[in-house]
């Protein structure tokens, strides 16, 4: 069958989903309410269902009164029982897949349950919807005339007591439908390689002669691969290797610090960038418009959403609200109830709503990755945007960064200490430092107030990292690869001190 016919047919099939999406756009709160009741009904006879008497729960209000908001540590004993073979604990169908996730820096691994329903009705559905929305906005797309280059995690699948665990991307590849494997590159064998450096070389070798029309992966790690590809092939930009490239589907970390670098290696005025928001716990949101920074919250993936305002998060008066009660431009911690049996589970991410009709969001950071030592409420969204603006003004490029507080000692005021690894160093370090500090103040009024006349905070401190510092730090922690991320902000100095020590050891 000619590729043009395949492209047309695939586009037509995927776009049929638009009508269902329009349904939850029209009745978002009703769709969410019905979904919650379905999840409760399905789980009445599980251990958790009996514990909280799901049979008699008929409303959201009763649900919130009975079922507590939980963290991974709260659910871990039940998850471990399931990993050892017990079933019907928190979900009514057998769960044998677990996405191993340690976040960015935690030494202890988390094993997030992934049911068959979540695979089909959430993760794979999200992937198809991403393509559906993209194709609906780009009628002349020739996406399926070539392949999608995917860069996932570096983990293989491991078996333990007849349950299986690994990186989420490895689980998805292992269970991938035939159509998805046919349209992707590299091969599953290469995608599942565990050694990151060997894997990069294999991906380059296998994909450089393919007709690649799209990419998918975390911006920071994909940039490593693409720069290696250009170095290996001696080409000036990626379009010289793959002239039919049309879109990059990205997620995992903010794209802002990397946007200008991608524009340089993809010099095509109509090249598209589409953001997704997915995690081990589920596929949550998709950019639904060209040239947008907002993500449409997907409401029919078997996930019921609640949101904790960050101004009450972790306090005695902490409250969770459902979708219909959120407001614009306020930071919320996300709480999810899912078709994998995660009941009122805090995933650790924060978002703010940019639209209520339809519900669109932007990811602003992590509940644990912000700085609020001095009441400045600095979020990752602020630091990522400030870095992007400062780099543009100073004509610099950043590889990675992290920030920590300098605590007040005696009469000395506090400050924020940054360590930044540059691909292209600033010509004037002091100028970069000053512009970054001023930009942060313009983006965050709380930080600005604390910086006013150096009242509480002194100017930020800037350390310039040696080349490959962050890469070496992750390598030492065995965290190289597509799903691992640098902690941008922290209320403690642990990560920053580790990096500074590594910098000193090498430079002696």
């Amino acid at each position: 069958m000619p590729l043009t016919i395949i492209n047309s047919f695939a586009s037509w099939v995927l776009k049929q989903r638009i009508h269902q999406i329009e349904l939850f756009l029209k009745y978002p709160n009703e769709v969410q309410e019905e979904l919650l009741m379905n999840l409760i009904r399905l789980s009445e006879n599980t251990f958790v269902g009996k514990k909280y008497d799901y049979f008699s729960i008929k409303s959201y209000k009763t649900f919130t009164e009975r079922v507590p908001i939980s963290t991974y540590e709260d659910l871990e004993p039940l998850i471990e029982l399931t990993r050892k073979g017990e079933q019907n604990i928190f979900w009514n169908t057998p769960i044998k897949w677990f996405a191993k996730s340690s976040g960015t820096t935690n030494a202890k691994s988390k094993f997030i349950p992934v049911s068959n329903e979540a695979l089909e009705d959430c993760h794979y559905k999200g992937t198809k919807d991403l393509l559906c929305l993209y194709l609906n906005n780009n009628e002349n797309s020739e996406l399926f005339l070539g392949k999608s280059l995917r860069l996932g995690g570096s983990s293989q699948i491991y078996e333990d007591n007849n349950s299986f665990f690994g990186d989420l991307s490895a689980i998805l590849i292992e269970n991938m439908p035939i159509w998805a494997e046919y349209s992707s590159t590299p091969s599953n064998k290469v995608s599942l390689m565990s050694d990151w450096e060997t894997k990069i070389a294999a991906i380059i070798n296998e994909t450089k002669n393919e007709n690649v029309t799209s990419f998918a992966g975390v911006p920071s790690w994909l940039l490593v691969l693409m720069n290696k590809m250009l170095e290996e092939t001696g080409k000036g930009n990626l379009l010289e290797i793959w002239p039919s490239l049309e879109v990059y589907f990205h997620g995992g970390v903010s794209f802002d610090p990397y946007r200008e670098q991608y524009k340089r290696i993809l010099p095509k005025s109509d090249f598209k960038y589409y953001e997704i928001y997915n995690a081990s716990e589920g596929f949550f949101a998709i950019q639904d418009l060209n040239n947008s920074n907002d993500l449409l919250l997907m409401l029919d993936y078997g996930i019921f959403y609640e949101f904790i305002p960050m101004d009450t998060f972790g306090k005695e008066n902490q409250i969770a609200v459902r979708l219909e009660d959120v407001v614009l431009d306020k930071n919320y911690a996300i709480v999810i109830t899912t078709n994998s049996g995660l009941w009122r589970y805090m995933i650790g991410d924060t978002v703010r709503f940019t639209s209520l009709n339809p519900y669109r969001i932007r990811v602003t950071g992590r509940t644990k990755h912000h700085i609020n030592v001095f009441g400045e409420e600095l979020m990752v969204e602020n630091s990522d945007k400030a870095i992007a603006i400062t780099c543009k003004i100073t004509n610099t490029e950043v590889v990675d960064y992290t920030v920590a507080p300098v605590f007040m000692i005696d009469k000395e005021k506090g400050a924020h200490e940054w360590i930044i690894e540059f691909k292209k160093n600033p010509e004037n370090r002091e100028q970069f430092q000053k512009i970054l500090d001023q930009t942060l103040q313009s983006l965050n009024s709380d930080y600005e107030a604390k910086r006013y006349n150096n009242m509480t905070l002194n100017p930020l401190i800037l350390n310039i990292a040696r080349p490959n510092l962050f890469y070496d730090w992750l390598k030492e922690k065995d965290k190289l690869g597509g799903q691992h991320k640098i902690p941008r902000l922290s209320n403690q100095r642990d990560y920053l001190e580790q990096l500074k020590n590594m910098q000193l050891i090498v430079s002696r």
Side-chain angles (χ1 to χ4, degrees):
M1 189 184 291
L3 283 176
T4 50
I5 295 175
I6 293 172
N7 185 68
S8 299
F9 179 71
S11 300
W12 179 83
V13 168
L14 285 163
K15 284 193 282 189
Q16 301 313 297
R17 164 72 173 146
I18 281 292
H19 304 298
Q20 292 171 301
I21 293 174
E22 287 170 347
L23 183 67
F24 78 66
L25 291 178
K26 191 173 182 180
Y27 304 105
N29 301 318
E30 292 85 349
V31 166
Q32 277 280 282
E33 197 81 16
E34 183 181 348
L35 189 154
L36 174 63
M37 289 302 126
N38 283 341
L39 293 176
I40 291 170
R41 297 286 78 82
L42 287 169
S43 302
E44 286 174 354
N45 292 315
T46 63
F47 171 80
V48 169
K50 290 174 180 175
K51 179 179 179 180
Y52 297 115
D53 189 14
Y54 278 12
F55 182 78
S56 66
I57 295 180
K58 309 296 181 188
S59 69
Y60 170 70
K61 184 173 182 293
T62 309
F63 175 67
T64 59
E65 290 167 350
R66 297 255 185 96
V67 183
I69 290 173
S70 59
T71 63
Y72 182 80
E73 288 68 30
D74 298 325
L75 301 182
E76 186 178 26
L78 298 183
I79 290 172
E80 284 305 300
L81 277 176
T82 306
R83 288 188 65 217
K84 289 172 182 174
E86 296 283 335
Q87 295 293 345
N88 207 41
I89 302 287
F90 42 77
W91 188 239
N92 70 320
T93 63
I95 292 179
K96 66 174 183 175
W97 294 99
F98 296 85
K100 186 180 179 185
S101 168
S102 58
T104 309
T105 52
N106 294 345
K108 187 177 181 182
S109 294
K110 297 177 182 178
F111 294 90
I112 306 299
V114 182
S115 67
N116 288 333
E117 290 84 354
L119 280 172
E120 291 299 326
D121 300 332
C122 183
H123 292 290
Y124 291 134
K125 191 174 182 179
T127 302
K128 287 185 281 188
D129 281 355
L130 169 63
L131 297 174
C132 165
L133 290 164
Y134 173 75
L135 293 167
N136 193 59
N137 292 331
N138 301 281
E139 291 289 336
N140 297 320
S141 168
E142 296 182 341
L143 201 63
F144 294 105
L145 293 184
K147 294 187 175 183
S148 175
L149 193 162
R150 64 191 181 205
L151 181 64
S154 310
S155 302
Q156 293 179 322
I157 298 293
Y158 302 92
E159 184 177 357
D160 182 24
N161 284 315
N162 204 31
S163 70
F164 302 86
F165 66 90
D167 192 277
L168 175 67
S169 59
I171 292 173
L172 295 178
I173 289 169
E174 190 74 23
N175 292 277
M176 186 181 285
I178 292 172
W179 64 266
E181 185 176 351
Y182 173 78
S183 60
S184 301
T185 189
S187 63
N188 287 0
K189 181 182 177 182
V190 170
S191 294
L192 292 172
M193 281 182 172
S194 56
D195 182 80
W196 169 253
E197 289 162 338
T198 306
K199 177 177 176 173
I200 286 289
I203 291 175
I204 291 170
N205 185 56
E206 196 167 297
T207 62
K208 63 186 177 185
N209 296 318
E210 289 276 14
N211 178 27
V212 174
T213 53
S214 67
F215 301 139
V218 175
S220 51
W221 288 112
L222 193 75
L223 197 57
V224 172
L225 171 64
M226 293 307 154
N227 284 327
K228 290 269 189 189
M229 177 69 78
L230 292 173
E231 188 181 309
E232 188 80 16
T233 59
K235 302 294 185 183
N237 65 67
L238 296 177
L239 298 173
E240 293 177 18
I241 305 170
W242 301 301
S244 299
L245 274 174
E246 60 177 82
V247 60
Y248 170 30
F249 301 112
H250 62 87
V253 299
S254 170
F255 193 53
D256 282 344
Y258 306 102
R259 192 179 302 276
E260 295 304 314
Q261 294 181 62
Y262 274 97
K263 283 183 180 178
R264 269 187 274 282
I265 60 174
L266 287 163
K268 185 178 181 181
S269 59
D270 60 346
F271 189 83
K272 303 292 190 300
Y273 297 91
Y274 262 62
E275 185 174 357
I276 60 173
Y277 174 27
N278 66 336
S280 299
E281 296 87 353
F283 202 123
F284 305 127
I286 301 171
Q287 179 183 324
D288 64 317
L289 300 170
N290 287 341
N291 307 313
S292 173
N293 291 317
D294 301 333
L295 307 179
L296 180 69
L297 195 62
M298 306 304 284
L299 304 178
D300 63 349
Y301 285 5
I303 300 173
F304 178 78
Y305 293 97
E306 296 175 87
F307 304 89
I308 302 172
M310 283 303 288
D311 52 13
T312 70
F313 181 80
K315 299 176 182 175
E316 284 187 16
N317 64 335
Q318 173 178 292
I319 56 166
V321 299
R322 55 185 160 176
L323 196 59
E324 63 185 72
D325 296 318
V326 299
V327 297
L328 289 174
D329 295 321
K330 185 169 190 162
N331 273 313
Y332 292 98
I334 303 181
V335 176
I336 58 173
T337 292
T338 77
N339 54 3
S340 281
L342 295 174
W343 298 97
R344 305 198 79 199
Y345 177 78
M346 288 192 294
I347 62 173
D349 289 345
T350 60
V351 299
R352 64 182 173 86
F353 284 84
T354 57
S355 166
L356 301 182
N357 184 23
Y359 288 104
R360 290 198 182 99
I361 60 171
R362 290 189 192 178
V363 181
T364 56
R366 300 277 295 166
T367 54
K368 292 181 179 178
H369 293 175
H370 67 285
I371 301 181
N372 193 31
V373 174
F374 312 102
E376 66 273 50
E377 285 287 0
L378 192 73
M379 306 294 291
V380 174
E381 182 186 35
N382 304 143
S383 59
D384 276 342
K385 194 166 185 181
I387 279 282
I389 292 170
T390 307
C391 283
K392 197 163 188 178
I393 293 171
T394 59
N395 192 30
T396 52
E397 294 179 359
V398 164
V399 175
D400 256 314
Y401 74 90
T402 194
V403 192
V406 176
F407 296 106
M408 294 178 176
I409 299 174
D410 299 325
K411 293 182 180 179
E412 186 60 38
K413 292 168 186 171
H416 287 179
E417 184 171 5
W418 291 61
I419 184 162
I420 303 176
E421 182 182 332
F422 293 94
K423 183 183 177 186
K424 183 180 180 184
N425 283 333
E427 289 182 9
N428 187 319
R429 177 191 181 126
E430 288 72 26
Q431 181 199 34
F432 185 95
Q433 193 168 333
K434 187 176 180 181
I435 292 171
L436 179 59
D437 195 54
Q438 290 172 342
T439 307
L440 281 168
Q441 292 180 57
S442 73
L443 295 171
N444 184 310
S445 58
D446 291 318
Y447 180 75
E448 181 184 34
K450 301 300 179 291
R451 282 283 298 110
Y452 180 71
N453 286 337
N454 297 345
M455 192 177 296
T456 305
L457 290 175
N458 283 325
L460 65 84
I461 299 164
L462 174 61
N463 300 283
I464 295 181
R466 64 168 173 81
N468 297 318
L469 177 64
F470 286 94
Y471 186 94
D472 293 343
W473 184 66
L474 288 172
K475 187 174 183 177
E476 186 181 76
K477 292 176 174 293
D478 195 26
K479 289 185 179 294
L480 288 180
Q483 303 301 303
H484 297 298
K485 307 157 199 169
I486 296 293
R488 297 301 198 201
L489 308 178
S490 174
N491 277 319
Q492 304 298 326
R493 291 184 58 82
D494 306 30
Y495 312 135
L496 189 112
E497 293 295 346
Q498 290 170 21
L499 286 157
K500 287 176 74 175
N501 286 337
M502 285 188 75
Q503 172 125 330
L504 288 169
I505 289 166
V506 173
S507 59
R508 277 183 189 140

